[in-house]
Amino acid sequence: NGLRENQSADLNTLTHPLVLFSISVLLINDHFLKIYSSSWLTGKLSDFAGVFFFPILLSAILNIICKSLNLKQSHIAMTAFGFTVFWFSLIKTIPFFSHLTENLLSKLLSYPSQVICDPTDLIALIMLLPAWRLRTISEKQPNVKKSKLSYLALGIAAIATLATGGPLITSVQNLDVYENTIYADVSNIG
């Protein structure tokens, strides 16, 4: 008796504590830490967290969309992981693809998005290994009924990947000079 493929492996994997933790890290990092304490660490943190759960999210979405095609979930997962490597590599190394992705996201969200072209971010691709392992373990589990938590995690993960917090925009309201020092009265926008 071979193991039957778990028909909801990706959705179930989205509810794993490590995946939920990585989604939380991305949301907290992008909406608070990057805005109020931006550093090289906050930049890398988003990449590591996002690369960990994004291919699982993409695989879950593709499996829902392609359900009627009767494709093996493992093949769809390989495609999702491969796409993640391919597109992440392009946006981090070739400015054209960074700008293309930035423009597409900005139009989709009707909100300015920022995609940083930084080849050093490719180190985050290492997160695909534990993500693939976690997904493989879920796939080998007995077929578990999809839960409301699975769909909630799917929605939150999708929003997390699209709705990244932008840089804090500062507006200068007033400039004063006192003893050869310039003082600025600033306010934060957004």
Side-chain angles (χ1 to χ4, degrees):
N1 267 352
L3 285 173
R4 217 175 94 214
E5 185 178 39
N6 183 341
Q7 296 302 308
S8 54
D10 298 296
L11 281 170
N12 290 336
T13 306
L14 285 173
T15 64
H16 189 281
L18 289 174
V19 175
L20 294 174
F21 177 73
S22 68
I23 295 167
S24 300
V25 165
L26 182 72
L27 286 168
I28 291 167
N29 187 60
D30 283 2
H31 295 283
F32 297 102
L33 299 178
K34 275 186 175 180
I35 293 170
Y36 300 108
S37 185
S38 186
S39 70
W40 68 268
L41 179 61
T42 58
K44 298 294 184 247
L45 198 54
S46 288
D47 294 324
F48 277 81
V51 168
F52 181 73
F53 77 83
F54 180 78
I56 297 165
L57 167 67
L58 181 58
S59 186
I61 292 169
L62 290 174
N63 272 300
I64 291 169
I65 292 170
C66 299
K67 187 175 184 173
S68 64
L69 299 177
N70 291 325
L71 300 171
K72 289 185 78 172
Q73 280 199 13
S74 57
H75 293 162
I76 291 174
M78 282 189 266
T79 301
F81 275 74
F83 175 81
T84 302
V85 170
F86 177 71
W87 200 258
F88 190 78
S89 297
L90 287 176
I91 66 173
K92 293 302 180 176
T93 59
I94 302 172
F96 171 81
F97 290 101
S98 299
H99 296 304
L100 175 67
T101 304
E102 195 172 82
N103 290 334
L104 289 172
L105 285 174
S106 294
K107 285 184 174 135
L108 177 69
L109 300 171
S110 299
Y111 182 82
S113 294
Q114 185 177 29
V115 177
I116 304 294
C117 184
D118 180 359
T120 65
D121 290 342
L122 293 177
I123 187 123
L125 289 173
I126 194 77
M127 296 307 290
L128 292 172
L129 296 173
W132 181 259
R133 178 76 178 126
L134 185 63
R135 194 211 167 272
T136 302
I137 291 168
S138 288
E139 190 174 47
K140 292 179 181 174
Q141 299 296 318
N143 215 347
V144 178
K145 185 178 177 185
K146 297 170 202 123
S147 69
K148 290 179 184 176
L149 179 59
S150 298
Y151 290 105
L152 179 62
L154 176 87
I156 292 171
I159 291 167
T161 61
L162 294 176
T164 58
L168 187 63
I169 300 168
T170 303
S171 173
V172 177
Q173 303 299 317
N174 188 27
L175 288 176
D176 288 316
V177 179
Y178 177 70
E179 296 182 8
N180 295 328
T181 302
I182 298 174
Y183 296 91
D185 180 22
V186 297
S187 64
N188 296 324
I189 302 170

